Amino acid sequence: MSLRLNAQQKYAYDTILQTCFASQGHSFFIDGPGGTGKTFLYRSLLATLRSQGYIAIAVATSGIAASILPGGRTAHSRFKIPLDFSKNRTCQLSKQGSVARLLSESKLILWDEASMAKRETIEAFDDLLRDIMESELPFGGKVVVFGGDFRQTLPVIEQATKEILLQSCFLNSPLWCKLHKLKLTENMRAILDPQFSEFLLRVGEGHELVDFNGEITLPKDLVIPYYDKEESLNRLLQSVFLDLALYSLDPYRMINRCILTPKNSSVDELNDILIKRFPGELHTFISSDKTVDQRHQGDYEDFLNSQNPKGLPPHRLMLKENYPIILIRNLNPVEGLCNGTRLICRELGRHTISAEIVFGQHKGKRVLIPKIPLQTPDSQKNSIAFIRTQFPVRLCFALTINKSQGQTLDYVGIYLREPVFSHGQLYVALSRVRTSAELKILILPGTFDGIKTDCKTRNVVFSEVFELSQQ
Ligand SMILES: Nc1ncnc2c1ncn2[C@@H]1O[C@H](COP(=O)(O)OP(=O)(O)OP(=O)(O)O)[C@@H](O)[C@H]1O
């Protein structure tokens, strides 16, 4: 595999491997815009070390990015990093346990999409390694390779100001300047469309011309003209999915086609339309919702059913055979069932879904997904805590832009019912495909102020990120 690396990838590969076998380890950050082959490089490193019998651990900040790496897990689940740092700041791993031994004996630890991680998670990981290795060196002297792209989305913190977001970035950690930086600059994903590749970089770095409303103008041939919502949305769906009936016979042909949109509510809107249009019998699974404090159950039951909190499956989950779904919990990471694993429904029973894994090392494997109790996340501080018993899955013809980070897709439709709202979102959505011919964008009129034009949209870029990343 290493033979196919380009010159920059090869330099990074050789430098990292030399360090793995040197007496003193140090850590790296692979910095490259979307598509420059960071994941391709990680795969080469993991394959080389593992084929020689060494332990190489792979994690990513998000579930989907982890599912792309061979043997990948989310950093949170692998290192038992706390989810709520106001309660606890240390990883819940025993120094005598098997994972600690694995870490201690590993030649390399890889952490993808580190630009999406909160600095405190990486600092907790640093403390963990120092403790396990009984060393005061950064990361306990282990060779850790972080990778990411600060043009893409940053940590997700609900209702955070720009200052809080920047503060929470890895870039603001004292660990950042301890890393040896390796750069990749050649966009391998869009190598056949250099003009598109340059446009992407201008969007990602905030260099695309902005008008007095703070909006950029997208190339006309990428945009679906707006007539009315229904007709324009139909044209977007038609561009991406062509013929759902045909795809239902061969789901692997459609699994890399996706609609990306900024908000969960528009993901639900699209998936609702698409599941109804997909051929086959519709199965509806109703969850059982119980308040954590049993005394409130009677008062809140109907209300709970109407709730659709982030991180939980819907109360009324609609599924069809051959429809693509995404797992939203770590069910059995060893068997490939992680938060972010994408599957195709094969048989829908009352109590279990028989599904097929469609990506990664477990591709093609049939698995059974049970209904499980899932609690509302702690971040939903203003709502009532409850437990929903349901299949831990969501439909995935449409995904939020943040969830698509790290993926290469065959065709993308971007649905801007409302404009993007955070740093890097537009860039991530645009940069998932190989050429501009594999992309269509629909901008709804509610989202443009003043002059009505369907090619203008907001691009959010925090230039401070690039200044910090140079340090
Ligand atoms: N040296 C190479 N030879 C051939 N194809 C490559 C090479 N490097 C990367 N690619 C291909 O380019 C595409 C993008 O690569 P990859 O996903 O590794 O980029 P990335 O930097 O991780 O992107 P992102 O930041 O968007 O996650 C993939 O389809 C990958 O297979």
Side-chain angles (χ1 to χ4, degrees):
M1 196 176 196
S2 66
L3 289 176
R4 292 170 54 212
L5 297 170
N6 68 27
Q8 289 173 326
Q9 289 170 327
K10 182 78 172 78
Y11 174 75
Y13 172 90
D14 289 340
T15 309
I16 292 166
L17 282 187
Q18 267 166 27
T19 310
C20 289
F21 293 103
S23 54
Q24 177 112 51
H26 56 255
S27 294
F28 297 88
F29 187 86
I30 313 282
D31 181 12
T36 48
K38 300 180 290 296
T39 313
F40 195 86
L41 168 64
Y42 311 145
R43 285 174 163 276
S44 304
L45 289 165
L46 292 171
T48 301
L49 288 170
R50 288 173 181 170
S51 68
Q52 294 173 21
Y54 296 109
I55 297 170
I57 297 173
V59 299
T61 307
S62 74
I64 291 204
S67 74
I68 297 168
L69 293 169
R73 292 269 294 271
T74 60
H76 272 97
S77 80
R78 172 58 86 192
F79 307 134
K80 302 275 179 285
I81 298 173
L83 287 169
D84 185 351
F85 276 83
S86 63
K87 290 181 186 153
N88 178 15
R89 302 190 71 81
T90 51
C91 298
Q92 302 300 291
L93 264 186
S94 150
K95 202 174 159 182
Q96 282 73 40
S98 53
V99 181
R101 239 185 84 199
L102 207 63
L103 285 168
S104 155
E105 288 175 11
S106 63
K107 268 273 177 257
L108 174 74
I109 305 165
L110 265 172
W111 184 326
D112 191 18
E113 306 292 6
S115 40
M116 289 174 93
K118 292 184 196 152
R119 58 177 273 194
E120 60 235 295
T121 62
I122 293 171
E123 289 166 4
F125 171 60
D126 174 51
D127 287 342
L128 172 74
L129 286 182
R130 288 180 203 234
D131 185 31
I132 291 172
M133 301 308 293
E134 298 180 350
S135 160
E136 273 317 302
L137 290 170
F139 305 103
K142 298 297 300 180
V143 181
V144 183
V145 174
F146 294 97
D149 175 14
F150 289 99
R151 296 161 195 81
Q152 301 187 37
T153 61
L154 302 176
V156 177
I157 306 176
E158 303 227 340
Q159 284 156 15
T161 59
K162 177 172 164 182
E163 286 65 35
I164 291 178
L165 258 173
L166 290 173
Q167 263 310 316
S168 74
C169 268
F170 188 10
L171 293 171
N172 257 311
S173 167
L175 291 166
W176 174 251
C177 57
K178 306 252 163 56
L179 302 176
H180 183 74
K181 314 293 185 315
L182 294 166
K183 283 194 192 296
L184 302 181
T185 55
E186 191 177 358
N187 189 335
M188 300 300 287
R189 182 178 291 133
I191 199 160
L192 297 175
D193 193 344
Q195 214 181 333
F196 179 53
S197 175
E198 281 163 26
F199 163 72
L200 292 177
L201 214 51
R202 288 200 303 277
V203 173
E205 295 182 347
H207 296 147
E208 190 64 5
L209 208 64
V210 172
D211 70 6
F212 54 89
N213 281 323
E215 293 181 321
I216 63 166
T217 304
L218 296 170
K220 221 173 170 42
D221 52 343
L222 295 185
V223 178
I224 301 263
Y226 182 80
Y227 305 107
D228 65 65
K229 183 175 170 185
E230 199 181 331
E231 188 184 339
S232 305
L233 189 51
N234 274 337
R235 287 186 62 178
L236 181 72
L237 300 180
Q238 169 74 20
S239 310
V240 180
F241 296 110
L242 306 167
D243 185 351
L244 282 173
L246 204 67
Y247 284 143
S248 71
L249 302 172
D250 181 7
Y252 277 95
R253 284 179 59 197
M254 67 187 173
I255 201 72
N256 270 324
R257 305 177 83 90
C258 199
I259 306 223
L260 305 177
T261 183
K263 292 201 166 175
N264 276 305
S265 57
S266 30
V267 166
D268 291 343
E269 179 194 347
L270 293 165
N271 278 325
D272 251 27
I273 298 173
L274 286 161
I275 187 95
K276 286 174 189 148
R277 292 190 187 173
F278 197 78
E281 188 191 345
L282 187 69
H283 297 249
T284 304
F285 300 94
I286 306 291
S287 70
S288 136
D289 296 341
K290 300 251 179 290
T291 47
V292 171
D293 183 340
Q294 292 286 310
R295 288 169 301 174
H296 297 144
Q297 182 63 21
D299 300 334
Y300 289 127
E301 183 134 21
D302 293 346
F303 168 75
L304 299 184
N305 294 166
S306 70
Q307 295 296 291
N308 192 11
K310 224 167 109 183
L312 286 198
H315 168 60
R316 289 172 62 82
L317 176 68
M318 290 188 282
L319 293 175
K320 283 184 180 173
E321 282 172 11
N322 292 331
Y323 204 87
I325 51 173
I326 184 166
L327 205 59
I328 56 171
R329 282 293 185 282
N330 286 315
L331 275 187
N332 187 346
V334 180
E335 293 297 317
L337 291 177
C338 300
N339 183 352
T341 301
R342 291 210 276 155
L343 310 108
I344 292 170
C345 292
R346 289 302 193 188
E347 282 168 50
L348 299 164
R350 267 187 70 192
H351 303 294
T352 49
I353 299 172
S354 169
E356 190 172 314
I357 299 179
V358 288
F359 276 116
Q361 66 191 116
H362 298 277
K363 184 175 170 180
K365 186 165 159 184
R366 276 286 188 111
V367 291
L368 289 179
I369 301 172
K371 285 188 176 176
I372 58 168
L374 301 128
Q375 185 161 347
T376 43
D378 283 352
S379 55
Q380 305 278 128
K381 289 208 165 87
N382 298 329
S383 58
I384 296 139
F386 71 95
I387 295 167
R388 173 163 289 169
T389 302
Q390 179 61 286
F391 293 117
V393 301
R394 276 186 173 271
L395 305 178
C396 74
F397 264 148
L399 287 175
T400 56
I401 293 171
N402 291 41
K403 275 227 161 77
S404 72
Q405 196 155 317
Q407 295 191 72
T408 299
L409 297 167
D410 294 340
Y411 202 105
V412 164
I414 305 178
Y415 177 47
L416 296 174
R417 191 183 70 181
E418 47 277 295
V420 296
F421 56 88
S422 73
H423 169 90
Q425 267 183 328
L426 188 62
Y427 174 65
V428 169
L430 293 168
S431 63
R432 294 308 93 204
V433 288
R434 298 175 187 88
T435 68
S436 59
E438 296 161 352
L439 184 65
K440 280 282 178 256
I441 306 157
L442 172 62
I443 307 171
L444 291 202
T447 72
F448 26 83
D449 302 327
I451 308 160
K452 180 180 178 309
T453 157
D454 39 26
C455 289
K456 288 191 179 236
T457 193
R458 188 194 298 160
N459 181 28
V460 183
V461 179
F462 299 161
S463 56
E464 294 86 340
V465 167
F466 306 122
E467 287 152 31
L468 283 167
S469 70
Q470 297 312 313
Q471 288 169 13

